[in-house]
Amino acid sequence: MSKPPVIFIAIIALIVVAASFRFMQQRRQNAENDAAPLSQKSVVVSTKREKPANDRRSRQREVTPAGEAMRYEVWFRPQTGGMELKMRVQAAQYHEMSVGDKGTLQYKGTRFVGFVPDNVQQ
């Protein structure tokens, strides 16, 4: 039997190392979010975006249409100035918000906890 080429073994090792790195990075981010204190900030909803969740490989998307799974993202602009915060939210939370809504954003690290709109009657 012949030995597999060295380049093949190197590619497999590189894939394993990259996958392990990504897995550990995600675990570290989740641990940081769990340990982070609950933060609140007065914000304005600046942008909303929904898009199909990309859970299929390119060949699968060609053969069968995209599924019903959607990803919902909302950008919040602090009322006191600063960088916008992008948060991934659930469908029900996404549909409760409108662009221009003002309120209090609650989050832990990079994890969205809630949005409480200001109830200003005019």
Side-chain angles (χ1 to χ4, degrees):
M1 291 194 105
S2 65
K3 292 180 8 179
V6 174
I7 189 78
F8 178 72
I9 294 171
I11 290 172
I12 296 296
L14 182 64
I15 291 171
V16 168
V17 168
S20 298
F21 177 76
R22 181 67 181 142
F23 176 75
M24 293 305 292
Q25 188 179 32
Q26 288 174 341
R27 298 250 335 202
R28 188 178 326 113
Q29 184 65 49
N30 284 337
E32 288 174 4
N33 286 342
D34 290 340
L38 180 65
S39 300
Q40 296 185 355
K41 192 176 278 193
S42 294
V43 296
V44 176
V45 177
S46 61
T47 307
K48 292 173 50 174
R49 182 171 70 177
E50 61 181 304
K51 60 183 180 178
N54 189 9
D55 60 349
R56 299 181 183 190
R57 303 221 185 274
S58 61
R59 175 83 52 189
Q60 290 173 321
R61 285 193 303 268
E62 292 174 6
V63 175
T64 57
E68 296 295 320
M70 297 292 283
R71 177 178 296 160
Y72 300 95
E73 297 173 340
V74 180
W75 279 261
F76 298 96
R77 185 179 68 245
Q79 290 183 12
T80 58
M83 285 184 34
E84 287 189 336
L85 302 167
K86 178 178 98 171
M87 299 283 176
R88 187 177 294 174
V89 300
Q90 299 297 319
Q93 298 162 332
Y94 177 85
H95 294 297
E96 290 175 357
M97 293 180 233
S98 298
V99 173
D101 283 354
K102 294 181 180 183
T104 303
L105 172 66
Q106 301 169 340
Y107 59 99
K108 286 183 79 168
T110 60
R111 184 180 300 147
F112 176 83
V113 174
F115 177 74
V116 180
D118 292 341
N119 292 327
V120 178
Q121 301 284 333
Q122 293 184 354

